[in-house]
């Protein structure tokens, strides 16, 4: 995948993480548990995308 597309996907993923964090601040009980799990998955996705972008950048050095 081209680096530009990866960057767009990373941006979308970061937006999702921010939205989940905002929701988690006001959530309680089972909803908070669900949001924590969803947030963990979203954060892992962000990290994977960052690593893919970094790897692509290394190819051009």
């Amino acid at each position: 995948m081209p680096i530009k597309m990866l960057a767009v996907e990373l941006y979308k993923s970061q937006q999702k993480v921010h939205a989940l964090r905002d929701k988690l601040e006001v959530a309680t009980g089972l909803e908070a548990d669900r949001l924590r799990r969803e947030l963990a998955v979203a954060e892992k996705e962000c990290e994977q995308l960052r690593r893919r972008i970094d790897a692509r950048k290394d190819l051009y050095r």
Side-chain angles (χ1 to χ4, degrees), residues 19-29 31-32 35:
L20 288 169
R21 285 181 181 159
D22 289 344
K23 289 179 184 179
L24 186 57
E25 286 181 15
V26 295
T28 59
E31 179 70 10
L35 287 170

Side-chain angles (χ1 to χ4, degrees), residues 5 12 15 25 38 50 58:
M5 291 178 76
K12 289 177 185 179
Q15 293 300 311
E25 286 181 15
E38 196 173 333
R50 276 190 206 101
D58 288 342

Side-chain angles (χ1 to χ4, degrees), residues 26-41:
V26 295
T28 59
L30 293 175
E31 179 70 10
D33 291 338
R34 182 188 66 77
L35 287 170
R36 277 190 206 94
R37 287 190 303 274
E38 196 173 333
L39 178 59
V41 170

Side-chain angles (χ1 to χ4, degrees), residues 4-18:
K4 186 175 181 179
M5 291 178 76
L6 288 171
V8 169
E9 289 302 312
L10 176 59
Y11 176 77
K12 289 177 185 179
S13 186
Q14 288 172 332
Q15 293 300 311
K16 183 177 181 179
V17 166
H18 291 297

Side-chain angles (χ1 to χ4, degrees), residues 53-61:
I53 289 171
D54 289 342
R56 296 291 266 164
K57 288 192 305 189
D58 288 342
L59 290 175
Y60 296 108
R61 290 184 183 172

